[in-house]
Structure formats: C-alpha cells, structure tokens
C-alpha cells in the first residue's frame, strides 16, 4: 500500500490536468464555433430570447399547449412525475386532465385525445408534441383566433419535423416554433 | 412507427460495426502493439510516468494489482469527500449551489467511485460546476479502473503459465488516454453542434411568451455527457438525466449517446477474443449475451409501444405508447430499448423515467441488473460473466465426471469458493437490503412515491441498482435520507469491489497453474453447447435468487392491473 500511495496521488494530479482541465477546455473551444457559442440553442422573437429546447407553459386558448410538466416548466430543475402505471392517484390525475381538455376543446371526441397531452414528460421540459397533439388543438385555436381552420392546419403540417434523415425516430412538432409562427401569421 | 423501429435496429448495428474494429484496437493497446496513434500518446504517457514516478515495465502479480487498485480508489474517495463537502465556497459556482452534507457526500463519492452514479441529488441544485467537473473526472478514471481490472483477466489467459500480469498503472493510464479520451472528444464535438450547452455561465432567466419568468439551468454539459456514456457511468448533469432536452436535444444525440454507452461493453468482448487469440470464444460470449439481451429488450419495446392499458380504458388515443415519463422526440420504442441497454450494461443513465414504466418492463430492467453480466459496464460485465463461465465449467465437469478445466487450467476448490462468494454476494446484497428497508417503514415505506406493489418495486430497484453498480432508479423514491445514503453506499462498495477482487483473484490463481494441453476429453468452451450451459447457469441463479422478490413487486402489480 505504501509503495502505491505516492504514485497514486501523482498520477491523479496529472490526470486531473488532462481530463478535468484540458479536455473541457478543448470542448469549450470547439463549442465557440457552434451556434450561440455553446450557450444552448435560442430563438429570438420580438426582442425576446427563448430556449428552443425548453418547453414553455402555454395555457392561453389561442396557443398550442405543451405537454404537462411535473416541474411547472421551470428549467431551474427537471424531472418526471415518477408515478407508477397503476397508482390510483395518478390515474385520477390523468382522468382529470382528459376531462379538462375535453371541456376546453368541445370539438374533440375522447378517442381523439392523444396520450402525450395528458401525461407528464420525463424531463418536465419536453419542447415537442406529437403531430396528433397539434392537430387536435386546431379547432380550438381557429375559433379563438377567428382564423380559417384550413390555413391553421397547413401551418401545423409545415411545422412537422420528419424523422432523422427520414428514417430514424418519431415525427414531432416544436411547440414554441409553432406558436411563434402562429403569432406571425396573425400579425400579417 | 416503423421509423422508430429502424432507429433501434440502426443503433444496434452501428454499435456492432464500430465495436469490432474498436475491439481490435483495444486488444492492440493493451498488448503494447503498434497503433496509428502512438505518435501522439507515447510521448504524453512517458511524461506522465516520469512525473508520477511510475515504471510501466514493472510486472505485477494479481495481488499487487489489487493493492494498487484499492489504494488509488482510497485517494479518490478522500479527495471526493473534500470537494463535495466544500464546493459551496469553491470557485466555479455561479448558481451558488451548496456543499453536500456528510452522508450525501459519502453516498455520492462512493457511487461515482464505483462507476455507478446513483444520484441522491439533482444536478441543477445539488452541485457546483467545480463539483460537476470533479465528478466528470471520476467518470473517466473509474471507467479506466474497470478496464484495467478486465485486462488483468485478459492477460491471465493469454500466457500459458505466469504470475506476471502486466502493470496496473499502464493498463489504467492507457484506458484513459488512448481509449476514453479520444472517443469522448469526437462525441463532444458532435454534441456541441446539436445544441448541447458547453458554458461556465450559470442559470439564465427567460421570460416566456405568456410572460412567466423561469430560469434555465446550463453548464459544461457537452464535456460531461460523452464520458457519462462511454464510461458506462450514467450520472446525469441534470436531474432528468438524458431525458433533459439540453442533455439529449434530439434523436441524433439520442443515437450517439446510445452507441457511446453500448460501444465499449461490446468492444471489450471482441478485444478479449483478439487478445487471447481465441476469437471463437468471444463469439460464444457475444451470442449468449445477445440472446439474453434480446429476450429482455423485445418485450420491453412491445410493452412500452403498446401503452398503459389503464389509460386505454379511459378511452383516449394511446397509439403513441406509454408516454408518462417519456419524451416525444425520443418516442416510446427508443425509450424502451434504452431502458434495457442502460440496465444491462450498468450505465444507469435514463432517457425516460423508469418508475413510470409498465410493471413487466420494470421487471425486465430489474432482471437486467440482477443478471448484470450481459455485455456489462466498462470492464465489469466481462468480470461477472467470467464468474458464470467458471460455474458452468464446474457444473459441466461434474456432469461428465472429469476435473473441470478452463483454457487449459484446472478449476479447483479454491477458485470455486471465490466464484460462489461472488455469485451469491449479489443476491445477498439486494435481498437483505430490500428486506431491511421494507422491515422498517419509517426508513423505507415513508420515502416511497407510489403505493402498493409498485412501492415495493421502488425499494427493490434502489438496492438492485446499487448492487449492480448501475445508478438508474425508480426516481420517485425520496432517497436523500441518512438511511438511503448510508445503506446504498455500503451496498455500492461491496457490489463493486467483490466482483472485481473475486474474478481477478481467480484469474491470477488459474494463471499460476500448469498448462494442460487440450486433449480428447477436454470440455470445449467455445461451442454453442457450452454457450447454452452458461446461459442455463445464469438463468437458474437469477431465477432462483430473485423470483420471490419479483413476484412481490412487478409481477403482483402486473396482475393487479389486469
């Protein structure tokens, strides 16, 4: 043990320099070439800066809503509900969400309510919704904004993000980008 | 839905295609053969040896290896306690996060030291950037330790009869410099262009479109996440781990993170084959592991894609799958796939919340950690699989009435005793821990997030994850208490070092023995028959040890939902 303690300490110091100083410094340097210099992807709109990948709370009936969040959409923290699939309290909460959604969207039938709109995401910050979850909100928004539902429908279609390289993963829609486009459409 | 399945198949195939050449490269690195990267690394390593006063040509016995390994771990433990208990007033703390309490620092230090990364804190509020970078350092070096231990076993079977098993520091340093660091740099370079933050600035304030003010936690994420996966560590930068949209911004990063964590566990198997010049044996191992992997992963994907029947009964559209605790950009299929990879290879990072999985999916995650030998965390998986091989050799030997032999060495009483201790320690730690926490409701039941059978699963999962050095959790558990911090800390320590010391000792003891050339009656260990034997041993040990506990948790929950 004694013969090993000094080499152990010294090699630790050397590796600290390599792995905890040089390595992150190199990654930081590469990040300076990336969009927004490695400070996270942002979208600017009306002189406001939004994080593209962080979900926002949308409760107004004129906006597309995000998925439920277990952390109230505050990215100072993150996490899911961690409710088990058979937890009665959880099932009651989902049922309440479905009822609320149906009340706010009277044009929608129960069988059309997509599961992602009534279940909390893993991070509480999921920036996306499924295509079905956007479509099911079109009627409400069209009514609230007194817009043509068809043009709203094509706005949704234009914002569908295809799977990676057309091959891998699910389709999705970024709620923030869609809502900004929605506001821009009304402004015109 | 098809694109989700293609994504999974692609991740597996890419890993396999990269794993083969990487395995060859790893074998060359440890054998000291020439590689294209010598020009860069040789001078650097020579400098490191010189500063540290290490002579890498000194050969060590298996005992010396273990002493060196344990000593350096002790140094890191003490340093880690010092960092985590004082980081509140150290530099690089823009968010003003506090230092850890003694018991939380104890748990966190051990859990990062043993390559587990069970986290009883949340990254956003629980550690400073100084602390994060220290933890990232541990993610590098503990992966290096696991690999160094595996190489001792490689070495023991390469030479016919020997006590000289190479130099610990050489194996350890080369693992860090020649394998982990270059691959991490490549991965990090991909990540920063996909919107993963790499900044030392603290939380940002954002006013939402509807006028709410929220904060956005950031940090040096893109440096942290590559080694978190490549070293099969799994500790998240943020509380939500790889479900967090800044820690896993899109499907591409999800694929890269998946390949990164799966890569070395797979490559090490091929490296073993190249190193001991028995490639067919490596394929036998690969086949057994892959069959076990598929048996667990396919049902999980199916169950998560099918969705929660309780929600389907409510009459809504559940065609997206079981989305509670999952992210839309990743989807139910890739989440289910990840849940088994991460538990099987002992990474323990999550891209969805395991607590909200269907009961039997949760059971498969538990089984993956209970077996803890398929592929396996950096190095450690091979060590555990090795124990099962020894048991299979012994049982086969008894069946044909011959002295059991493995790789030309007689397996005798001493080796068998060690193998049995290692094989039984794992269920012992899990079941005794779970039983204790269940027996004292003030410590166990009061911290649960879910009632009934699922609550029991939360306790079982926490100890299984600790003993398997996995680090994922049924995170609803309120685990930052004195009881959980100390008890899982102890389980973590034993769960790491028993499976390192045992196999290294067996390999060392076997290496000293006289080599017996293969004869007519030798049991061939590179055949499918022997592969089935190993598989049977694994199933029997896992089933006999864990079935009663699983019946009380996930299986009972499954039937309660019918």
């Amino acid at each position: 043990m004694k013969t090993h303690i000094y080499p152990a300490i010294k090699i630790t110091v050397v590796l600290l320099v390599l792995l905890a100083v040089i390595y992150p410094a190199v990654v930081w340097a590469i990040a300076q070439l990336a969009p927004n210099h490695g400070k996270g992807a942002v979208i600017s709109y009306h002189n406001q800066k939004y994080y593209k990948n962080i979900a926002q709370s949308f409760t107004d009936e004129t906006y597309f809503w995000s998925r439920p969040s277990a952390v109230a959409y505050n990215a100072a923290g993150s996490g899911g509900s961690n409710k088990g699939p058979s937890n009665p309290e959880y099932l009651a909460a989902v049922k309440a969400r479905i009822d609320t959604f149906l009340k706010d969207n009277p044009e929608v039938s129960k069988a059309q309510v997509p599961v992602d709109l009534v279940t909390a995401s893993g991070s509480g910050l999921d920036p996306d919704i499924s295509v079905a979850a956007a479509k099911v909100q079109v009627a409400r928004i069209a009514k609230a904004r007194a817009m043509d539902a068809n043009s709203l429908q094509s706005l949704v279609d234009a914002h569908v993000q295809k799977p990676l390289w057309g091959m891998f993963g699910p389709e999705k829609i970024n709620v923030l980008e869609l809502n900004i486009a929605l506001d821009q459409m009304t402004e015109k | 839905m098809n694109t989700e399945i293609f994504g999974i198949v692609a991740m597996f195939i890419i890993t396999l295609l990269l794993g083969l050449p990487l395995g060859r490269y790893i074998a060359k690195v440890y054998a000291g053969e020439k590689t294209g990267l010598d020009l860069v690394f040789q001078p650097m390593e020579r400098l490191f040896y010189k500063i540290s006063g290490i002579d890498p040509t000194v050969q060590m016995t298996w005992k010396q290896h273990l002493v060196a390994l344990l000593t350096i771990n002790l140094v890191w433990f003490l340093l880690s306690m010092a960092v985590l208990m004082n980081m509140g007033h150290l530099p690089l703390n823009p968010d003003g996060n506090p230092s850890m309490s003694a018991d939380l620092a104890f748990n966190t230090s051990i859990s990062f030291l043993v390559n587990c990364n069970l986290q009883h804190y949340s990254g956003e509020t629980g550690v400073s950037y100084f602390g994060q970078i220290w933890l990232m350092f541990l993610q590098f070096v503990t992966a290096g330790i696991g690999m160094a231990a595996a190489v001792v076993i490689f070495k023991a079977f390469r030479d016919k009869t020997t006590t000289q098993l190479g130099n610990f520091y050489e194996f350890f340093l080369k693992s860090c410099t020649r394998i982990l660091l270059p691959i991490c740099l490549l991965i990090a370079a991909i990540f920063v262009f996909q919107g993963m933050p790499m900044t030392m600035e603290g939380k940002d304030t954002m006013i939402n479109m509807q006028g709410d003010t929220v904060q956005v936690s950031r940090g040096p994420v893109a440096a942290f996440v590559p080694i978190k996966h490549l070293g099969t560590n799994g500790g998240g930068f943020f509380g939500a781990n790889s479900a967090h949209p800044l820690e896993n911004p899109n499907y591409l990063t999800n694929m890269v993170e998946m390949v990164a964590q799966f890569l070395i566990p797979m490559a090490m198997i091929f490296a073993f084959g190249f190193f001991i010049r028995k490639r067919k044996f490596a394929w036998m191992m690969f086949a057994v592991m892959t069959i076990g992997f598929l048996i667990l992963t396919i049902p999980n994907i199916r169950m998560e894609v099918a969705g929660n029947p309780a929600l389907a009964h409510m009459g809504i559209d559940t065609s997206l799958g079981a989305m509670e605790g999952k992210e839309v950009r990743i989807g139910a299929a890739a989440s289910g796939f990840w849940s088994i990879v991460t538990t099987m290879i002992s990474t323990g990072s999550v891209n969805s919340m395991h607590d909200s999985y269907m009961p039997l999916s949760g059971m498969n995650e538990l089984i993956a950690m209970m077996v803890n030998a398929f592929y396996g965390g950096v190095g450690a998986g091979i060590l555990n699989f090795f124990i099962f091989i020894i048991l299979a050799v012994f049982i086969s030997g008894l069946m044909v009435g011959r002295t059991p032999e493995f790789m030309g060495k007689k397996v005798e009483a001493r080796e068998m005793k060690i193998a049995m201790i290692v094989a039984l320690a794992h269920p012992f730690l899990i079941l005794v821990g779970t039983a204790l926490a269940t027996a004292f409701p003030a410590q166990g039941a009061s911290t649960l997030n879910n009632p009934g059978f699922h609550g029991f699963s939360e306790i079982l999962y926490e100890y299984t994850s600790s003993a398997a050095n996995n680090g994922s959790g049924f995170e609803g558990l309120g685990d930052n208490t004195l009881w959980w911090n100390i008890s899982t800390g102890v389980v973590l320590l034993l769960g790491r070092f028993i499976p390192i010391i045992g196999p290294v000792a067996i390999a060392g003891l076997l290496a000293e023995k006289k080599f017996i050339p293969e004869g007519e009656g030798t049991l061939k260990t590179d055949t499918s028959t022997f592969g089935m034997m190993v598989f049977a041993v694994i199933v029997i040990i896992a089933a006999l040890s864990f079935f009663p506990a699983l019946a009380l948790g996930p299986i009972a929950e499954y039937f309660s939902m019918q």
Side-chain angles (χ1 to χ4, degrees), chain A residues 4 23 38-39 49 51 53 56 59-60 67 75-76 78 81-84 86-87 113 115 120 122-123 126 169, chain B residues 3 76 124 169 198 201 204 207 209-210 215 217 223 240 245 314 317 323-328 356 449-450 557:
Chain A
H4 289 294
Y23 163 70
K39 291 175 191 170
K49 185 185 72 176
Y51 282 85
N53 291 322
Q56 298 192 5
T59 48
D60 200 289
R67 298 184 60 196
S78 60
S81 71
N82 285 311
K83 294 293 181 199
S86 63
N87 187 336
V113 178
V115 67
S123 61
D126 192 342
Chain B
T3 53
W76 293 335
E124 294 94 335
Y169 296 106
M198 182 65 207
E201 291 176 22
D204 198 6
I207 300 168
M209 276 181 82
Q210 288 198 168
Q215 288 190 304
S217 200
M314 294 178 192
D317 172 13
M323 288 307 286
E324 183 70 33
K326 294 194 182 63
E327 302 280 301
V328 168
S356 300
N449 188 41
N450 287 287
E557 189 188 7

Side-chain angles (χ1 to χ4, degrees), chain A residues 77-151:
Chain A
S78 60
S81 71
N82 285 311
K83 294 293 181 199
S86 63
N87 187 336
E89 198 187 298
Y90 160 70
L91 295 174
V94 173
K95 201 158 183 309
R97 282 187 200 132
I98 297 171
D99 294 341
T100 314
F101 187 84
L102 288 175
K103 213 175 89 208
D104 293 333
N105 297 269
E107 305 82 357
V108 175
S109 77
K110 204 176 195 183
Q112 288 175 310
V113 178
V115 67
D116 57 327
L117 276 184
V118 293
T119 50
S121 61
S123 61
L125 308 169
D126 192 342
D128 304 306
I129 52 176
S130 65
V131 179
K135 291 205 165 147
V136 85
Q137 301 186 54
V138 163
R140 180 195 78 232
I141 295 168
K143 207 167 121 201
R145 295 202 174 217
M147 282 171 76
D148 173 28
N150 284 331
S151 57

Side-chain angles (χ1 to χ4, degrees), chain B residues 126 199 232 256 427:
Chain B
T199 174
T232 66
V256 174

Side-chain angles (χ1 to χ4, degrees), chain B residues 101-156:
Chain B
S101 63
D103 58 309
L104 182 57
F106 169 80
N107 186 278
T108 308
S109 296
I110 287 184
S111 105
F112 276 80
L113 206 61
V114 304
N115 199 256
C116 167
N117 301 193
L118 198 69
Q119 295 169 298
H120 290 177
Y121 63 91
S122 269
E124 294 94 335
T125 49
V127 265
S128 68
Y129 292 166
F130 193 92
Q132 294 277 27
I133 288 179
W134 165 255
L135 295 175
M136 183 188 78
F137 169 77
L138 285 182
Q139 292 187 325
F140 268 105
V141 293
T142 57
I145 290 287
M147 294 172 82
V151 181
V152 178
I153 293 188
F154 287 18
K155 194 89 175 152

Side-chain angles (χ1 to χ4, degrees), chain B residues 372-391:
Chain B
N372 202 24
F374 294 148
Y375 307 114
V378 169
I382 282 200
L383 300 178
N384 285 322
F385 195 77
F386 178 69
I387 293 293
F388 287 119
I389 290 177
I390 296 291
L391 293 178

Side-chain angles (χ1 to χ4, degrees), chain A residues 1 3-21 23-28 30-41 45 48-51 53-61 63 65 67 72-88 90-92 94-95 97-98 110-116 118-130 132 163-173 176 179-180 183, chain B residues 3-4 6-7 10 44 48 51-54 60 64 67-68 71-72 74-76 79 122 124-125 133-134 136-137 140-141 169 172-173 176-177 181 184-185 188-189 192-201 203-204 206-210 212 214-218 222-224 226-227 238-240 243-246 249 251-252 255 308 310-311 314-318 320-321 323-331 353 355-359 449-451 454 458 474-476 557 560-561:
Chain A
M1 180 122 185
T3 52
H4 289 294
I5 197 123
Y6 287 113
I9 292 171
K10 286 184 206 159
I11 202 165
T12 301
V13 173
V14 175
L15 282 175
L16 269 171
V17 173
L18 179 70
L19 303 174
V21 179
Y23 163 70
V26 171
V27 178
W28 183 85
I30 301 172
Q32 299 315 303
L33 306 173
N36 199 26
H37 310 292
K39 291 175 191 170
Y45 176 63
Q48 283 291 341
K49 185 185 72 176
Y50 305 121
Y51 282 85
N53 291 322
I54 300 292
Q56 298 192 5
S57 164
F58 289 105
T59 48
D60 200 289
E61 58 177 355
Y63 282 123
W65 296 338
R67 298 184 60 196
Y73 305 95
N74 190 351
S78 60
S81 71
N82 285 311
K83 294 293 181 199
S86 63
N87 187 336
Y90 160 70
L91 295 174
V94 173
K95 201 158 183 309
R97 282 187 200 132
I98 297 171
K110 204 176 195 183
Q112 288 175 310
V113 178
V115 67
D116 57 327
V118 293
T119 50
S121 61
S123 61
L125 308 169
D126 192 342
D128 304 306
I129 52 176
S130 65
L164 177 67
W165 304 319
M167 280 183 294
F168 305 135
E171 287 185 339
K172 62 187 191 310
I173 292 176
L176 176 64
N179 279 332
I180 289 178
D183 268 1
Chain B
T3 53
E4 294 194 48
F6 287 156
M44 185 168 88
F48 284 11
I51 300 174
S52 319
I54 291 166
M60 296 183 178
Q64 288 166 324
V67 174
T71 308
I72 201 163
L74 183 66
V75 170
W76 293 335
L79 260 174
S122 269
E124 294 94 335
T125 49
I133 288 179
W134 165 255
M136 183 188 78
F137 169 77
F140 268 105
V141 293
Y169 296 106
F172 162 64
L173 186 66
C176 294
T177 55
L181 181 62
C184 278
L185 272 173
V192 291
F193 288 98
Q194 298 299 321
M196 208 182 278
M198 182 65 207
T199 174
M200 300 310 269
E201 291 176 22
K203 287 192 174 75
D204 198 6
M206 159 169 95
I207 300 168
N208 281 351
M209 276 181 82
Q210 288 198 168
D212 318 321
V214 297
Q215 288 190 304
V216 177
S217 200
R218 299 176 296 176
F224 190 96
I227 185 60
F238 298 111
H244 196 293
L246 295 182
Y251 201 80
L252 177 64
M255 287 180 87
N308 187 344
L311 297 195
M314 294 178 192
I316 58 167
D317 172 13
T318 57
L320 282 173
M323 288 307 286
E324 183 70 33
K326 294 194 182 63
E327 302 280 301
V328 168
R329 68 187 175 286
I330 298 163
M353 296 301 135
D355 217 346
S356 300
Y357 270 61
M358 294 304 104
N449 188 41
N450 287 287
H454 195 85
E458 285 183 341
F474 274 13
E475 287 299 341
E557 189 188 7
S560 76
M561 285 179 79

